[in-house]
Amino acid sequence: LLNFLPDFDYIYNNLQEQSDDRLLVLSNEFLAAALLTMKHIKESEWLIQNIALIIRRALASNRNLKRSVLVYLFSHVKPTDTIMKTLEKELDRPEKEEFYSMYDWLIDQGIERGIEQGIEQGIERGRIETARNLYLQGVSIEVISKATKFSLDELEQILKGS
């Protein structure tokens, strides 16, 4: 019966103990970019100095993997003018075009999410304002709860701030 059970013996490798050179020789460019980024994620100076290398490696993979590395990287390193100038200087023309295409997509996604969050926050503020106005007009808390879909506990918290 033991012959049919899978072997769950995993070897754990600490990325911090691996040299950058060892990661750079990986044949999978995405994996090299992702592992380097993860290894140095708390070292923003290193990431900034090596951003072109990471992006160049990431661009060699498929579209979704590229996006994943860029999202992870730019969630930890703000793309400043200096970084963008460095990339402009260090990436070749096809790499720049592909990078800017991906970067524009990421910005569009961020704008869409921001708009969605803004709409949700606006709706929530409207519900709160409606609850407060109804309360000031003398409407019972039970009716306000039904109208705004706030629980009685939520309404108590909201109306304390009135």
Side-chain angles (χ1 to χ4, degrees), residues 28-40:
N28 184 320
E29 299 286 343
F30 162 76
L31 188 56
L35 291 174
L36 280 169
T37 304
M38 286 189 287
K39 177 181 177 186
H40 295 285

Side-chain angles (χ1 to χ4, degrees), residues 38-94:
M38 286 189 287
K39 177 181 177 186
H40 295 285
I41 203 64
K42 302 247 187 247
E43 304 168 39
S44 58
E45 284 303 313
W46 189 95
L47 289 172
I48 291 167
Q49 291 172 358
N50 293 280
I51 198 159
L53 168 74
I54 293 169
I55 289 174
R56 185 174 286 118
R57 295 287 176 122
L59 291 176
S61 57
N62 78 42
R63 188 171 211 50
N64 289 332
L65 295 177
K66 290 176 207 178
R67 288 178 181 168
S68 298
V69 170
L70 291 178
V71 166
Y72 186 64
L73 180 62
F74 286 131
S75 68
H76 291 82
V77 176
K78 185 178 179 194
T80 62
D81 289 341
T82 305
I83 289 174
M84 298 309 271
K85 286 176 186 173
T86 300
L87 292 172
E88 186 70 31
K89 186 174 68 174
E90 293 188 26
L91 297 177
D92 63 28
R93 183 183 203 110

